[in-house]
Amino acid sequence: MIKKEMLDALNEQMAKEIGSAYLYGAMSADFSVNDWNGFAKWMMSQAKEEMSHGQKIYEYILERGGRPVFTALEKPQESWDAPKAAFEASLKHEKLITSSIDGLVNLARKIDDKATEYFLQWFVTEQVEEESTVEGILAKFDKLGDKNQGLFLLDRELGARE
């Protein structure tokens, strides 16, 4: 049976992961209405991935004899000034999620919950990938400068994500 302190923290993290999906869905919608279909597709893929992270935590909670608890989600921002601004917001958000995951690992160590600590290692690795991917996209935006044709190529490139 999972300790209450860890159960509460994992339920909070599940909400954060689902909230991440909500945020990326809002970004996808903003890109779609502004005809950035490649960026929209990339963000929707990201939203689906974040939902799977929430599902992973949900299943783990059940495996450990806990009850997943769903809470209200905060309404995400609806629009961004430019594609780069949305990706900057994405990186900022991923850093917050990384910090949250780190806090869970620290809690697992503090209460000597080795099973949860091991479970969380997947998320630690995933967050390294998440931040690195968005940092790489932002580096491409920086290289583009004000070249609109490059922005269209980047939109197409990101739209190829499966």
Side-chain angles (χ1 to χ4, degrees), residues 22-52:
Y22 218 46
L23 173 64
Y24 290 129
M27 289 177 173
S28 179
D30 187 45
F31 283 134
S32 290
V33 299
N34 287 297
D35 297 320
W36 291 111
N37 297 320
F39 296 144
K41 183 179 176 194
W42 193 93
M43 285 296 181
M44 188 50 68
S45 293
Q46 193 65 22
K48 290 174 184 175
E49 186 176 304
E50 298 298 341
M51 281 300 293
S52 75

Side-chain angles (χ1 to χ4, degrees), residues 6 11 20 24-26 39 41-42 51 60 87 97 103 122 131 133 137 141 145 147 157 162:
M6 183 55 73
N11 272 311
S20 296
Y24 290 129
F39 296 144
K41 183 179 176 194
W42 193 93
M51 281 300 293
Y60 179 76
F87 282 93
I97 296 298
W122 182 89
E131 286 186 30
T133 298
I137 293 168
F141 274 106
K147 300 174 186 156
E157 177 187 329
E162 293 301 321

Side-chain angles (χ1 to χ4, degrees), residues 65-152:
R67 173 183 288 275
V69 176
F70 289 80
T71 59
L73 298 176
E74 191 175 309
K75 180 183 177 200
Q77 183 174 332
E78 290 182 27
S79 64
W80 289 262
D81 293 334
K84 183 180 179 185
F87 282 93
E88 288 169 337
S90 172
L91 180 59
K92 181 179 178 184
H93 180 75
E94 288 301 336
K95 288 182 177 191
L96 287 172
I97 296 298
T98 297
S99 177
S100 184
I101 295 293
D102 289 347
L104 288 173
V105 171
N106 291 337
L107 175 60
R109 288 177 180 163
K110 176 183 165 194
I111 65 173
D112 196 30
D113 184 347
K114 289 177 181 52
T116 301
E117 182 180 352
Y118 178 77
F119 167 73
L120 291 169
Q121 290 309 306
W122 182 89
F123 287 90
V124 170
T125 302
E126 179 67 11
Q127 284 309 119
V128 169
E129 178 189 319
E130 299 277 4
E131 286 186 30
S132 176
T133 298
V134 178
E135 286 169 344
I137 293 168
L138 286 170
K140 289 180 181 183
F141 274 106
D142 289 340
K143 288 178 185 175
L144 290 174
D146 294 330
K147 300 174 186 156
N148 284 334
Q149 65 271 32
L151 196 55
F152 287 104

